Amino acid sequence: MLHIINKSPFVSSTLETCLEVATGGSVLLIEDAVYGAVAGTILEKKVSAAQTKLKLHVLGPDLEARGMSGALIPGVEKIDYAGFVDLVSRHKTCQSWL
Amino acid sequence: MKLGIVINEGPYQHQASDSAYLFCKAALAKGHEIFRVFFYHDGVNNATRLTEPPQDDRNVVARWSALAQEHGIDLVVCVAAALRRGIKEENLAPGFRISGLGQLVEAGIQADRLVTFGD
Amino acid sequence: MSGDTIKKFLFVNRKAPYGTVYALESLEVVLITAAFDQDVSLAFLDDGVYQLKKGQNTKGIEMKNFSLTYRALEGYDIEKLFVEKEAMEARGLTKEDLLVDVTVLDRQAMGQLMDDQDVILSF
């Protein structure tokens, strides 16, 4: 399954819950959730550890809009909207964690 | 692939409608079909033709209308959510139609994937 | 309409009631989905568990108390209600605090429930 997150992990527990609940598949960070993909934050360890069971992606245009195109957590893949479409297509279901 | 899209937030206040629009454009460019875009909750505010954004800003509503016209996309606004928020036939932007929640469920059944954009 | 296709729909509720409209409008979709004879389940995670709290009284805020609708779901053959164990415990709640009978799942089991669905709607 593809899990889509759009909340900043600094104000919402959404990313944390998702990383614990998700059994496998992919996670895509969009909108304010992109801050969770950035290297050097207090969350890096937790996000990075989730990569043993989940493949993490982040939406590039949302990173760039926020001036966050610097270093990402190693392993997190930056994609564009076309890549977003491919992710949806590749997984049987998707869930937006609103 | 046949895609259903759900939008739960209004324009300008939240990025949901922008993200959904850019997603739809990318999907269409890849040859996928947008089976339906369903507007729910405050998302129904994407359907008003009374909106007048400043000239240097994107026109979220007009952009949806244009995409619908160009690609024959079914833009459906939930009737109960719309009436609660003053969206009616008389102020509906081109390409949108008002219908029931059954249209959302049908999109879930008919589409290969249902992607939600909201808060 | 949609022929004989029956899909597994899961409604994921993660928001508290009244502060925003999502919980109420989510219930409306749940009822319609059941009317389309689909296989419906509801999951309550994080603040969503507050939607099921007993004793809601909305008189003072002049809004409709829709919590009674959860009790009526059985009449629409919607009987699969799942609550996240960790969310309930974190909020100091037990099954006895909830106004309907639910199945309590830990986060891992909740993830497996999600994997088993065709359509997931989250409001």
Side-chain angles (χ1 to χ4, degrees), chain C residues 65-80:
Chain C
N65 179 355
F66 60 90
S67 68
L68 300 172
T69 311
Y70 296 106
R71 283 211 174 122
L73 290 177
E74 225 181 339
Y76 296 87
D77 290 327
I78 303 166
E79 287 162 349
K80 288 182 273 189

Side-chain angles (χ1 to χ4, degrees), chain B residues 16-79:
Chain B
S17 183
D18 295 277
S19 298
Y21 173 78
L22 294 169
F23 177 85
C24 285
K25 259 188 30 174
L28 290 163
K30 281 182 164 284
H32 296 299
E33 178 197 344
I34 307 292
F35 174 76
R36 178 170 295 150
V37 183
F38 191 85
F39 296 86
Y40 197 36
H41 306 289
D42 270 1
V44 299
N45 291 315
N46 284 287
T48 172
R49 63 180 173 84
L50 300 177
T51 174
E52 280 179 42
Q55 292 230 318
D56 61 349
D57 199 357
R58 74 241 187 261
N59 189 323
V60 175
V61 175
R63 226 166 41 169
W64 279 118
S65 291
L67 197 72
Q69 193 183 20
E70 197 181 332
H71 298 277
I73 302 171
D74 191 20
L75 305 180
V76 180
V77 181
C78 168
V79 60

Side-chain angles (χ1 to χ4, degrees), chain C residues 38-52:
Chain C
Q38 300 298 300
D39 184 348
V40 176
S41 302
L42 276 69
F44 298 86
L45 282 75
D46 294 328
D47 276 356
V49 299
Y50 286 132
Q51 293 179 23
L52 300 178

Side-chain angles (χ1 to χ4, degrees), chain C residues 53-69:
Chain C
K53 175 72 177 64
K54 269 182 194 163
Q56 296 176 33
N57 177 354
T58 56
K59 237 187 219 156
I61 59 169
E62 300 188 5
M63 286 163 87
K64 184 165 127 191
N65 179 355
F66 60 90
S67 68
L68 300 172
T69 311

